[in-house]
């Protein structure tokens, strides 16, 4: 069995007197895609912020390739290959090329140049529009830029907060296709989502309830579980 690339053990986090995470356990192996399901307010964003180093953990540990990174600053985690894409993920006033340059801020120049070329091949629309302001892109194209910006640092794992938010069903399909290509190239993904279509990408599924994550499930087990289907996706799947 491959050992975990990312391991979260007994993670506690919150804001002021509000406790959100009450001992979350979760693991993602190299090249694996994990989908994190949770109702509104369950703490998905909080978990991803802790992972990225944007919110301090109050207890527990985050391990990356076996190393304890719980107290490392965000930029050091990015350098280690652990990247995070928030719901926004881009700077609208900057050009597409500038957004990608910012994403590559913490990697060396040669890597940044090589990655930029790879990303323009992966997302041709971004190459065509590279000198335009990101604000002029459509919603779906902005999402692609957000993904590309996160990938500019050449991560081994990309954690994403609701990549489907605000997208039409067609554009959700485009984003899933792009992510499937990244996955095929060896990228591990941790995707917080409420959109059932992301189960198609998943190797494992974690559900976040009551501040804790349930043991890893297979996508099929989630699809076949009436309670989970009702809780996360309505009945329309
Ligand atoms: P959603 O799917 O609606 O984005 P989520 O699962 O990502 O929800 P979080 O954003 O992590 O949930 O929020 C978890 C809880 O923490 C919620 O009760 C929320 O109100 C609270 N919370 C989030 N951010 C803050 C903050 N900055 N200060 C205080 N409470 C917060």
């Amino acid at each position: 069995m491959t050992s975990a690339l990312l391991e979260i053990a007994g993670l506690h986090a919150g804001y002021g007197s509000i406790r959100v995470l009450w001992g979350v356990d979760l693991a993602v192996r190299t090249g694996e895609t994990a989908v994190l399901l949770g109702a509104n307010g369950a703490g998905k964003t909080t978990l991803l912020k802790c992972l990225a180093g944007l919110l301090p953990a109050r207890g527990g540990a985050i391990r990356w390739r076996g190393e304890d990174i719980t107290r490392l600053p965000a930029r050091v985690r990015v350098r280690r290959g652990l990247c995070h894409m928030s719901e926004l993920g881009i700077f609208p006033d900057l050009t597409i090329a500038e957004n990608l340059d910012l994403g590559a801020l913490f990697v060396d120049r040669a890597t940044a140049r090589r990655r930029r070329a790879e990303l323009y091949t992966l997302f041709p629309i971004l190459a065509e529009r590279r000198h335009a302001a990101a604000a002029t892109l459509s919603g779906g194209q902005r999402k692609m830029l957000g993904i590309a910006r996160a990938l500019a640092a050449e991560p081994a794992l990309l954690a994403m907060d609701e990549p489907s938010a605000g997208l039409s069903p067609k554009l959700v399909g485009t984003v899933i296709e792009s992510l499937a290509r990244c996955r095929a190239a060896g990228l591990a993904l941790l995707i917080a989502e409420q959109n059932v279509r992301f189960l198609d990408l998943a190797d494992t599924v974690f559900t976040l309830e009551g501040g804790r994550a349930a043991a890893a499930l297979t996508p099929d087990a989630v699809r076949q579980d009436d309670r989970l289907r009702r809780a996360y996706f309505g009945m329309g799947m």
Side-chain angles (χ1 to χ4, degrees):
M1 193 177 121
T2 326
S3 64
L5 176 67
L6 170 71
E7 193 186 355
I8 296 176
L11 187 70
H12 285 254
Y15 309 89
S17 61
I18 303 168
R19 294 180 65 183
V20 178
L21 305 179
W22 294 75
V24 171
D25 296 316
L26 177 157
V28 185
R29 287 189 287 267
T30 304
E32 189 177 68
T33 296
V35 168
L36 178 67
L37 298 177
N40 288 124
K44 301 181 295 298
T45 302
T46 303
L47 177 65
L48 295 189
K49 283 201 282 192
C50 282
L51 190 58
L54 303 174
L55 181 74
R58 290 181 173 178
I62 303 172
R63 285 187 279 271
W64 177 252
R65 296 189 163 119
E67 176 195 5
D68 188 338
I69 59 162
T70 320
R71 311 268 163 238
L72 287 186
R75 66 177 185 286
V76 180
R77 298 182 201 208
V78 173
R79 282 203 198 102
R80 294 276 204 281
L82 172 57
C83 285
H84 168 255
M85 182 190 151
S86 65
E87 274 181 62
L88 278 176
I90 61 160
F91 295 95
D93 295 338
L94 300 181
T95 66
I96 286 143
E98 286 165 344
N99 267 282
L100 292 182
D101 286 348
L102 275 182
L105 210 56
F106 301 128
V107 296
D108 64 78
R109 274 203 199 165
T111 305
R113 210 173 308 124
R114 176 175 52 75
R115 280 306 278 169
R116 205 182 308 132
E118 287 169 2
L119 290 167
Y120 282 148
T121 306
L122 191 64
F123 303 104
I125 185 70
L126 300 182
E128 271 169 45
R129 308 281 303 277
R130 70 181 81 185
H131 299 303
T136 65
L137 294 174
S138 73
Q141 291 164 350
R142 280 187 208 196
K143 195 69 71 168
M144 271 176 221
L145 177 58
I147 296 171
R149 198 174 86 84
L151 294 179
E154 201 167 38
L157 184 145
L158 176 59
M160 311 179 83
D161 202 350
E162 296 211 39
S164 76
L167 295 186
S168 68
K170 183 165 173 279
L171 289 177
V172 170
T174 311
V175 168
I176 290 176
E177 272 167 36
S178 310
L179 291 175
R181 268 179 270 142
C182 300
R183 180 179 185 260
L187 179 71
L189 294 161
L190 174 59
I191 307 174
E193 257 301 339
Q194 306 200 31
N195 188 312
V196 63
R197 290 169 68 189
F198 281 79
L199 288 187
D200 295 345
L201 273 180
D203 296 299
T204 54
V205 181
F206 294 92
T207 56
L208 195 58
E209 277 178 72
R212 291 193 178 86
L217 297 166
T218 64
D220 276 344
V222 176
R223 288 189 187 99
Q224 286 156 16
D225 186 313
D226 279 347
R227 191 188 73 82
L228 292 178
R229 281 173 25 167
R230 239 178 269 122
Y232 298 115
F233 306 119
M235 293 303 284
M237 66 182 277

